[in-house]
Amino acid sequence: MTSAQCLQEALIANHLNVALDVQQKMLAFIEQMQKWNSVFNLTAIRDFEKAIWLHLVDSLSIHSYLHGQRIIDVGSGAGLPGIPLALLCPDKQFVLLDSNSKKTRFLQQMVYELGLSNVLVTHERVENYRPSMSFDSIMTRAFATLAVMLEKTAHLASNHGQFLAMKGAYPSEELAALPADFKVRYVERLNLVGLSVERHLVCIERSFDEKNSRDR
């Protein structure tokens, strides 16, 4: 089976509708990731077919949960989930934020090679990043505990913004330790066909009282 056939099979199995030209760009992204990997240590996954499932399909699984037009991928690393989602959602604006200069160099190259006019790469520590505009959705994947994520990214959210944390097993202890001024909107189990690993998406927003106090 070719890599193109493997990707098509994975997308069909998970009811993901992706145009053929976008599929080609996704495969080019994985190919470049593997080429850069030996020097930049972007990912522990070396097998191309596994990368299709564990990088592309895993990232794309949250596309329907994105809220608003301005999205930030905090700790983007190799561009996951940001680049696959930006390819799938050209109508949304994405910022890929990472403090590792080698990884942001790779991301800049991918933005150029893939023609991603809806993506801005930023090399900065999240706690020091002060953009001119806030974000509707703040995404993280294997970033930190929920409490630490909220502590470091709260200043990036718009008044109606949401925090989306991609997790493996159901994060019971992390949910119990959430700060009082945040509340869980939902925890969604992502049932990905072809992946034997457990996946959950946690969506968090500021509590009603906190949003009111910010608006006054």
Side-chain angles (χ1 to χ4, degrees):
M1 182 185 298
T2 66
S3 56
Q5 290 171 330
C6 178
L7 176 58
Q8 284 188 337
E9 180 181 285
L11 294 173
I12 291 171
N14 287 280
H15 308 288
L16 293 166
N17 185 20
V18 181
L20 285 177
D21 61 324
V22 177
Q23 291 183 36
Q24 292 171 355
K25 289 186 176 183
M26 289 180 177
L27 291 172
F29 167 57
I30 295 298
E31 182 179 343
Q32 287 302 311
M33 186 190 302
Q34 294 200 320
K35 285 183 178 179
W36 285 58
N37 205 29
S38 59
V39 177
F40 285 74
N41 193 29
L42 299 171
T43 174
I45 299 172
R46 301 301 202 249
D47 181 80
F48 200 100
E49 184 172 330
K50 286 184 178 178
I52 287 175
W53 290 91
L54 293 172
H55 288 333
L56 292 181
V57 174
D58 191 41
S59 295
L60 296 173
S61 67
I62 71 167
H63 81 280
S64 62
Y65 300 94
L66 297 180
H67 166 73
Q69 293 300 115
R70 283 181 52 78
I71 319 292
I72 184 168
D73 180 10
V74 176
S76 187
L80 303 165
I83 285 183
L85 289 171
L87 284 166
L88 187 65
C89 308
D91 57 318
K92 297 183 184 297
Q93 299 298 312
F94 291 81
V95 170
L96 309 184
L97 180 72
D98 204 280
S99 61
N100 185 307
S101 60
K102 288 184 177 181
K103 291 178 179 177
T104 53
R105 281 166 57 192
F106 169 73
L107 295 176
Q108 291 280 18
Q109 186 64 26
M110 290 302 95
V111 167
Y112 171 74
E113 291 190 15
L114 300 174
L116 288 169
S117 60
N118 62 330
V119 174
L120 172 68
V121 177
T122 302
H123 172 224
E124 183 62 271
R125 294 183 64 85
V126 62
E127 57 266 35
N128 298 331
Y129 181 47
R130 294 294 187 273
S132 59
M133 295 178 64
S134 55
F135 295 91
D136 304 310
S137 290
I138 298 171
M139 307 184 299
T140 60
R141 181 179 187 258
F143 176 70
T145 65
L146 294 174
V148 171
M149 173 202 178
L150 296 171
E151 176 189 354
K152 291 183 177 294
T153 66
H155 66 283
L156 300 175
S158 63
N159 286 341
H160 58 281
Q162 67 177 10
F163 302 83
L164 293 172
M166 299 180 72
K167 294 288 182 179
Y170 187 90
S172 303
E173 293 184 4
E174 293 183 34
L175 290 168
L178 283 185
D181 50 348
F182 293 92
K183 66 178 181 179
V184 178
R185 287 191 63 200
Y186 55 79
V187 181
E188 189 79 15
R189 183 181 178 117
L190 302 173
N191 295 312
L192 303 179
V193 178
L195 284 177
S196 58
V197 293
E198 195 173 355
R199 288 287 187 267
H200 287 85
L201 179 67
V202 181
C203 179
I204 299 170
E205 64 181 2
R206 289 187 182 274
S207 67
F208 181 78
D209 289 342
E210 173 68 8
K211 286 195 288 187
N212 279 350
S213 67
R214 277 158 53 89
D215 290 340
R216 284 198 292 267

